[in-house]
Amino acid sequence: MDKIFRALKQSFQACGNPRILFLLFLPFMLAVFVGLVLFFTLGTWWITAASTGIEQSFVMQYISEKWNILSSDSAASVSYFFVLIVTILLLIPFSYLVAVILVSLVLLPFILRILEKKDYPSLDKKRGGSFSGSLWNTLKVSVIYLVALSGTLFLWLVPGFAIVIPLLLSAYLNKNLFVYDVLEEFASVEERQRIEKENRGLLYGLGVILGLINYVPLAFVVAPTFASLAYSYFCLNALKDLRENRP
């Protein structure tokens, strides 16, 4: 846990840097903008198509005919309302996913450059990763995240699960995106694999702690960039310690 607290402390201190402070707020604003654009352009089509499908489904027809508790108009309203709620629930984690991807692919190189000059000027770069590898990793992790999100959405109706599931999913997303991208230039393949293996539990634990920021009023706005900052410090600290303690 000392490694986690050390990384978090360094991250809070780094927020005093004006450039870091600016980068903290940029991704979420862009992600919300993209999410809203998609919602108001494709959202209407999606809601209409999905609600029509549910209305004409076997389950809805069975309920209407067997128990005669829903008229055709009521069935249409229930279907539309259900799809609207699901769409709104998906919009928030989707916006977070977009924000994390923006940070990982676009802003993280700037953050790492700032940290390298300030805290790790002597840390050699072994370039064990590549931009194509980063893109593939981002695509793979994003697909798994979206599939897991969609597959567990019904569990959000269970009390408490609406907090636990997004928390675990955000921990998975943060850990698996940022670790590769932070160490892409600095570590060799062997070093990155060793850091991930030896610190797997701590890396996921850091993701859970960072995921809690999303439940703090207004703090969720800076969560994606702050997460990249914390993982940068954790991974670069681990890499530095690994090289200094190597026989």
Side-chain angles (χ1 to χ4, degrees), residues 125-160:
K125 294 181 178 180
K126 295 193 175 181
R127 294 180 170 84
S130 63
F131 184 68
S132 60
S134 176
L135 288 178
W136 168 248
N137 181 65
T138 299
L139 177 62
K140 179 183 67 175
V141 172
S142 299
V143 169
I144 294 174
Y145 173 85
L146 289 174
V147 170
L149 175 66
S150 302
T152 58
L153 196 60
F154 69 97
L155 291 175
W156 291 28
L157 300 174
V158 180

Side-chain angles (χ1 to χ4, degrees), residues 44-66:
T44 303
W45 170 83
W46 152 253
I47 291 173
T48 302
S51 60
T52 301
I54 293 176
E55 180 186 352
Q56 297 175 354
S57 67
F58 169 78
V59 174
M60 191 63 71
Q61 290 180 0
Y62 179 82
I63 293 175
S64 300
E65 295 173 2
K66 183 71 175 179

Side-chain angles (χ1 to χ4, degrees), residues 64-242:
S64 300
E65 295 173 2
K66 183 71 175 179
W67 291 307
N68 197 29
I69 58 175
L70 289 176
S71 64
S72 59
D73 291 339
S74 298
S77 299
V78 169
S79 301
Y80 187 87
F81 180 75
F82 175 77
V83 174
L84 180 62
I85 294 299
V86 170
T87 302
I88 293 173
L89 288 174
L90 286 173
L91 180 62
I92 297 174
F94 178 77
S95 295
Y96 184 79
L97 172 63
V98 173
V100 170
I101 292 175
L102 283 172
V103 172
S104 182
L105 296 180
V106 180
L107 298 184
L108 188 58
F110 296 100
I111 293 174
L112 290 173
R113 199 172 304 159
I114 294 172
L115 299 190
E116 180 186 3
K117 291 180 179 178
K118 181 178 179 294
D119 299 300
Y120 308 96
S122 60
L123 195 62
D124 293 334
K125 294 181 178 180
K126 295 193 175 181
R127 294 180 170 84
S130 63
F131 184 68
S132 60
S134 176
L135 288 178
W136 168 248
N137 181 65
T138 299
L139 177 62
K140 179 183 67 175
V141 172
S142 299
V143 169
I144 294 174
Y145 173 85
L146 289 174
V147 170
L149 175 66
S150 302
T152 58
L153 196 60
F154 69 97
L155 291 175
W156 291 28
L157 300 174
V158 180
F161 277 52
I163 295 177
V164 174
I165 293 176
L167 192 62
L168 296 177
L169 289 177
S170 66
Y172 168 83
L173 181 67
N174 288 333
K175 183 266 181 189
N176 287 284
L177 278 187
F178 289 133
V179 171
Y180 183 95
D181 289 341
V182 168
L183 297 175
E184 174 188 332
E185 278 195 90
F186 287 92
S188 65
V189 174
E190 294 76 17
E191 287 174 329
R192 186 181 72 247
Q193 292 174 344
R194 182 173 173 182
I195 288 172
E196 285 198 77
K197 181 179 179 181
E198 294 180 355
N199 299 277
R200 186 177 302 275
L202 291 176
L203 288 168
Y204 278 115
L206 178 60
V208 170
I209 293 174
L210 293 169
L212 292 172
I213 297 177
N214 293 309
Y215 298 100
V216 178
L218 299 181
F220 66 89
V221 173
V222 302
T225 311
F226 187 81
S228 72
L229 196 59
Y231 272 100
S232 295
Y233 272 116
F234 187 101
C235 292
L236 294 180
N237 287 341
L239 179 60
K240 184 179 179 181
D241 293 341
L242 176 64

Side-chain angles (χ1 to χ4, degrees), residues 13-41:
Q13 291 173 340
C15 291
N17 186 310
R19 290 177 294 176
I20 294 291
L21 197 60
F22 170 73
L23 294 175
L24 279 175
F25 292 93
L26 185 61
F28 189 82
M29 293 186 290
L30 292 175
V32 169
F33 175 75
V34 171
L36 290 175
V37 168
L38 290 175
F39 178 77
F40 286 110
T41 53

